[in-house]
Amino acid sequence: MKKLLIANWKANPDSPAHALALARKIHAGIPLGKDVDVVIAPPFPFLQLVGGALTRAELGAQDLFWEDLGPYTGEVSWRQLKHFGVKYAIVGHSERRALAGETDEMINKKVRAALEAGIAPVLCVGEPKEVRKNGIAAAKRYVAAQLEKDLDGVRKGRVAIAYEPIWAIGTGTPDSPRSAAEMIHYIRGRVPREVRKRLRVLYGGSLMAANADAFLKEPEIEGALVGGASLNPRDFIKIINIAKHYG
Ligand code: PGA
């Protein structure tokens, strides 16, 4: 299956000018064919500018709010995002679970709102270090509990899931490709059959140009959610070319 690569810029870069320059550099390296799907998820204030620079990639948001309009200070709703041409929204990233106190109930509302709006949710799941040190079976139980709550009531639609072990994010220490593939295989099996048809399960957590091949050559790993390396156009383009090869 064609791989899906999502650039998660987080709170980077510092200015609209730098965001546009980064988007243009990445865009110039996206191959013309249809062998790989690329999504760029900039911070909200840069969505319009970055969206205008992309024809061979889709625009993603890093979050979305489940209500359409109203008294929700600081939130950005699915309805507003749709006006910018947002096609994917990262939901339940571990940084939002930790920093913004997002619960599985909130994440479930976001997943469902995204699907209703025709935006593909990119649901992030993954275990903390304390859980993983008890072995992969413990990690699977943790992730299964997240999936059950986060996908409650979801029966169909285009969904992506990113398996992002928290201890691997931004640390330079990724999971091993074999155990990521094992977890992804497990995740796929926990998703309702109808959703599985259009599902892609990605790996995220210190995926870089230097290790991308080892991950993306695993058939179970259907793409990647890339943080740090997506801020370096040369590295991200290398990852795109590797993904293309396995598409
Ligand atoms: P990283 O981040 O690639 O910098 O580890 C991945 C993510 O948090 O989505």
Side-chain angles (χ1 to χ4, degrees):
M1 189 195 276
K2 208 189 337 171
K3 308 270 181 182
L4 171 64
L5 288 182
I6 304 178
N8 177 10
W9 287 359
K10 308 190 180 184
N12 297 292
D14 63 330
S15 67
H18 287 154
L20 184 60
L22 180 56
R24 284 188 173 145
K25 281 187 192 150
I26 292 173
H27 196 259
I30 300 178
L32 272 173
K34 272 263 139 220
D35 306 325
V36 53
D37 289 328
V38 180
V39 177
I40 312 275
F44 291 138
F46 305 149
L47 276 173
Q48 186 162 20
L49 203 55
V50 168
L54 305 176
T55 52
R56 297 197 289 276
E58 299 284 10
L59 190 61
Q62 294 177 21
D63 189 20
L64 120 168
F65 188 59
W66 59 81
E67 297 289 351
D68 60 348
L69 298 171
Y72 310 106
T73 304
E75 300 291 356
V76 180
S77 77
W78 55 265
R79 185 151 164 195
Q80 294 162 327
L81 292 174
K82 276 189 77 84
H83 284 287
F84 292 96
V86 164
K87 296 286 190 312
Y88 292 81
I90 299 169
V91 171
H93 191 283
S94 59
E95 286 157 10
R96 295 210 56 78
R97 292 181 193 251
L99 294 171
E102 286 194 11
T103 63
D104 289 305
E105 289 67 32
M106 292 160 75
I107 291 162
N108 177 247
K109 284 188 187 176
K110 292 182 177 195
V111 168
R112 288 158 67 150
L115 284 169
E116 286 220 355
I119 295 172
V122 182
L123 170 66
C124 300
V125 295
E127 79 288 352
K129 201 178 197 139
E130 312 85 78
V131 170
R132 182 58 171 252
K133 73 177 193 293
N134 298 325
I136 192 149
K140 282 179 180 167
R141 281 194 297 277
Y142 186 94
V143 166
Q146 285 183 318
L147 287 171
E148 197 175 313
K149 292 184 217 149
D150 298 346
L151 293 178
D152 187 34
V154 174
R155 294 281 165 267
K156 56 180 181 4
R158 188 163 56 104
V159 176
I161 297 176
Y163 169 57
E164 296 208 308
I166 296 171
W167 46 271
I169 296 175
T171 58
T173 308
D175 198 357
S176 77
R178 260 326 310 156
S179 83
E182 181 183 336
M183 182 64 100
I184 284 171
H185 179 79
Y186 175 76
I187 288 172
R188 178 165 274 280
R190 310 286 309 181
V191 170
R193 186 172 318 173
E194 210 37 51
V195 178
R196 236 181 275 163
K197 288 184 187 158
R198 298 165 74 192
L199 174 72
R200 277 183 288 189
V201 191
L202 322 178
Y203 170 75
S206 299
L207 186 126
M208 301 169 252
N211 62 24
D213 190 79
F215 282 95
L216 294 172
K217 77 173 178 218
E218 298 283 347
E220 290 91 346
I221 303 180
E222 294 161 320
L225 182 54
V226 186
S230 73
L231 297 171
N232 178 322
R234 285 226 329 246
D235 286 359
F236 194 58
I237 290 166
K238 268 191 207 154
I239 298 169
I240 291 172
N241 283 315
I242 292 166
K244 180 180 162 213
H245 180 74
Y246 294 110

